[in-house]
Amino acid sequence: MNFRLTIQYDGTDFHGWQAQDGQRTVQGELERALSLIEGRAVVVHGAGRTDAGVHAEAQVASARLSREIAPEKLCAAINGNVARDLRVVEVRHAPEDFHARYSARGKTYRYRVFNERIMSPFWARYAHHEIRPLDLSAMREAAALFVGEHDWTAFSSAQVEVQSRVRNLTRLDITDRQSVRGRGRLIEITISAGGFLRYMVRSIAGTLLANGRGEMDTQAVSRAIETRDRSLVAATAPARGLALVQVHYE
Amino acid sequence: MNFRLTIQYDGTDFHGWQAQDGQRTVQGELERALSLIEGRAVVVHGAGRTDAGVHAEAQVASARLSREIAPEKLCAAINGNVARDLRVVEVRHAPEDFHARYSARGKTYRYRVFNERIMSPFWARYAHHEIRPLDLSAMREAAALFVGEHDWTAFSSAQVEVQSRVRNLTRLDITDRQSVRGRGRLIEITISAGGFLRYMVRSIAGTLLANGRGEMDTQAVSRAIETRDRSLVAATAPARGLALVQVHYE
């Protein structure tokens, strides 16, 4: 029996998605809960291996169990065995060949920035705090440069070995609104791509923020993309601002 | 020098507003930070003495210091001495006779309910979880009964001694919307009054929820208000759903 799980988590108190000995991780917690139900070790595959501190509003995972369980029952059984900062919000039967990561056609991440002099306690866990004013029209102009197929060497971790650093970025929107609860300006950078490299979204967000602060003009951003030179890219934005918001399937 | 402070706090990890020995409270933290700045004990008066777990999006406090300090500097100095779940978002000079509580003409509270089968981790700290479907049109009909001047004996704590339990409730709105981050229905009950009694908002919210679940019809709600009989009122709704959102001054 193959199952598809939709999951939300507040990443603040997790060492990321991927199971690691002695660390509290999302995959680790889900595998522990499912193994209790199954009576033996269960492997859970996630669509996106989010880093420590990164949130998920609709992560997707797949897992195989040896027997049939009603999806609602399985959902309740997992939630009964994990803390409230992690919730399985939906369980469905999945085709035998469904794999949360390999079947995914793309993902959407959102990077949130609270742009006020003083940080709201209600956004402290979920947004990056930027004190300096941001020029959104400049940022939108720069954002257009990122869309399309590029080699993202400059905007990804050098530590990770991958065959190719070419990815197709299909959407990059920047919106701002007044947060009622936070009493301030909340900027949201939404990025969709067929695939992402490690730190890619946070690196793009960091460069867009440098551009918005006036530290890096459109030309400098363009040069960083074209030359693939990591030294031309601004600092990676902090994990807490990032959330996986959607996984796209056919 | 009299100062007026506007304050936000995530009430989750506070034992409420009021200073208590050996407990982490909002008043206690602010008095500690201000006493460090002043060099001797400072008393902070808050407009609303919120209970343990209750949040504030715009609490107002007043405090006297012996010397002049630029409001922005004072704001930064306090924030530098308190944890990030508490922020002074604005400091202003206040007239000598300004007192956060006695000068207030009224307050607005908001009670939030996340109304889905599964609770979102993003609302777990800030909203009450109601699994059962709520009939909003019934709740709005019942809400109208609360507006106006009433004796709130049935909807307040018996433990607190007060001269009069008559208060004028000027507004009671119920709205619902889809929370993007929480992926679910968020209901907000907004209540304004010239003054509130202890547990009054949470008691009204609890009764409105019982009405929305179909456990208490409009007549039963009306009877509870008119008879002042505590046994006719539904259970007080949990603290985490409540936030002080505005203090009204002339």
Side-chain angles (χ1 to χ4, degrees):
Chain A
M1 270 292 146
N2 198 14
F3 291 93
R4 171 181 167 161
L5 286 61
T6 306
I7 301 153
Q8 292 198 341
Y9 46 88
D10 175 338
T12 311
D13 300 325
F14 286 100
H15 287 265
W17 167 267
Q18 202 152 8
Q20 291 170 66
D21 277 345
Q23 302 281 26
R24 183 175 185 252
T25 68
V26 180
Q27 187 186 29
E29 290 292 282
L30 291 173
E31 290 185 344
R32 186 183 52 70
L34 277 163
S35 300
L36 283 171
I37 295 160
E38 174 78 349
R40 60 179 175 185
V42 175
V43 176
V44 176
H45 299 285
R49 286 164 295 178
T50 53
D51 286 312
V54 174
H55 315 286
E57 295 170 22
Q59 168 77 283
V60 176
S62 53
R64 278 173 211 285
L65 297 182
S66 57
R67 60 196 168 87
E68 162 61 1
I69 306 181
E72 289 221 348
K73 271 199 175 172
L74 181 56
C75 186
I78 301 169
N79 285 332
N81 279 298
V82 296
R84 66 177 190 159
D85 57 354
L86 168 59
R87 288 291 99 172
V88 179
V89 293
E90 193 188 35
V91 174
R92 280 201 249 165
H93 285 124
E96 268 312 293
D97 62 351
F98 177 78
H99 183 287
R101 183 144 60 101
Y102 302 135
S103 305
R105 288 290 160 264
K107 289 192 287 283
T108 299
Y109 283 93
R110 188 160 290 147
Y111 196 88
R112 292 188 173 90
V113 180
F114 193 75
N115 189 27
E116 294 288 339
R117 206 165 52 82
I118 295 160
M119 186 62 176
S120 165
F122 301 110
W123 284 106
R125 298 164 75 92
Y126 309 116
H128 168 51
H129 183 208
E130 173 61 65
I131 294 176
R132 288 156 288 188
L134 294 171
D135 180 345
L136 244 66
S137 61
M139 286 169 71
R140 289 195 178 109
E141 199 186 310
L145 300 173
F146 288 95
V147 177
E149 195 164 80
H150 297 284
D151 182 311
W152 298 96
T153 297
F155 296 87
S156 59
S157 168
Q159 267 91 318
V160 182
E161 297 269 335
V162 282
Q163 282 194 318
S164 159
R165 291 183 188 268
V166 174
R167 297 288 185 277
N168 187 21
L169 203 151
T170 53
R171 172 191 176 191
L172 206 173
D173 289 345
I174 305 176
T175 59
D176 73 322
R177 62 180 169 96
Q178 280 300 116
S179 158
V180 176
R181 295 174 67 224
R183 314 259 157 164
R185 188 197 203 193
L186 187 76
I187 294 166
E188 297 185 318
I189 302 170
T190 305
I191 305 184
S192 301
F196 289 90
L197 297 161
R198 193 166 196 194
Y199 300 148
M200 184 169 146
V201 181
R202 288 163 56 192
S203 178
I204 293 173
T207 290
L208 285 172
L209 291 172
N211 172 268
R213 292 190 302 262
E215 292 162 10
M216 211 175 149
D217 64 13
T218 310
Q219 267 200 312
V221 174
S222 176
R223 208 153 44 235
I225 299 172
E226 279 161 26
T227 61
R228 308 167 197 181
D229 181 350
R230 284 199 180 86
S231 72
L232 299 179
V233 164
T236 301
R240 69 165 64 90
L242 187 59
L244 171 58
V245 297
Q246 204 184 342
V247 185
H248 308 276
Y249 295 97
E250 242 156 43
Chain B
M1 271 294 147
N2 198 14
F3 291 93
R4 170 180 168 162
L5 287 59
T6 306
I7 300 152
Q8 291 198 342
Y9 46 89
D10 175 337
T12 311
D13 300 326
F14 286 100
H15 287 266
W17 168 267
Q18 201 152 9
Q20 291 171 66
D21 278 345
Q23 301 282 24
R24 183 175 185 252
T25 68
V26 181
Q27 186 185 29
E29 290 292 281
L30 291 173
E31 291 186 343
R32 186 183 52 71
L34 277 164
S35 300
L36 284 171
I37 295 160
E38 175 77 350
R40 60 179 175 185
V42 174
V43 176
V44 175
H45 299 285
R49 286 164 295 179
T50 53
D51 286 312
V54 174
H55 315 288
E57 295 169 22
Q59 168 77 284
V60 176
S62 53
R64 280 173 210 285
L65 298 182
S66 57
R67 60 197 169 88
E68 162 61 1
I69 307 180
E72 288 221 349
K73 271 199 176 171
L74 181 57
C75 186
I78 302 168
N79 285 333
N81 280 297
V82 297
R84 66 176 190 161
D85 56 353
L86 167 60
R87 287 291 99 173
V88 180
V89 293
E90 193 188 34
V91 173
R92 280 200 249 165
H93 286 123
E96 267 313 293
D97 62 350
F98 177 78
H99 183 289
R101 183 145 59 100
Y102 301 135
S103 305
R105 289 289 160 267
K107 291 193 284 284
T108 299
Y109 283 93
R110 189 160 288 146
Y111 197 88
R112 292 187 174 91
V113 180
F114 193 75
N115 189 28
E116 294 288 338
R117 206 167 49 85
I118 295 161
M119 186 61 175
S120 166
F122 301 109
W123 285 106
R125 296 165 75 93
Y126 310 116
H128 168 51
H129 183 208
E130 174 61 66
I131 295 176
R132 288 156 288 187
L134 293 171
D135 179 346
L136 245 66
S137 60
M139 286 169 71
R140 288 196 179 108
E141 199 186 310
L145 300 173
F146 288 95
V147 177
E149 196 163 79
H150 298 284
D151 182 312
W152 298 97
T153 298
F155 295 87
S156 59
S157 168
Q159 267 91 319
V160 182
E161 296 270 333
V162 283
Q163 282 195 317
S164 160
R165 291 183 188 267
V166 174
R167 297 289 184 278
N168 186 21
L169 205 152
T170 53
R171 174 191 175 191
L172 207 173
D173 290 343
I174 304 175
T175 58
D176 73 322
R177 61 180 171 96
Q178 279 301 115
S179 159
V180 175
R181 297 175 64 226
R183 315 258 158 164
R185 187 197 203 193
L186 185 75
I187 294 167
E188 297 185 319
I189 303 170
T190 304
I191 305 184
S192 301
F196 289 91
L197 297 161
R198 192 163 197 195
Y199 301 148
M200 185 170 146
V201 180
R202 289 162 55 193
S203 178
I204 293 173
T207 290
L208 285 172
L209 290 171
N211 172 268
R213 291 191 302 262
E215 292 162 10
M216 210 176 150
D217 64 14
T218 310
Q219 267 200 312
V221 173
S222 176
R223 208 154 45 233
I225 298 173
E226 279 161 26
T227 60
R228 308 166 197 183
D229 181 350
R230 283 199 181 86
S231 71
L232 299 180
V233 164
T236 301
R240 70 165 62 91
L242 186 60
L244 171 57
V245 297
Q246 203 183 342
V247 185
H248 309 277
Y249 295 97
E250 244 156 41

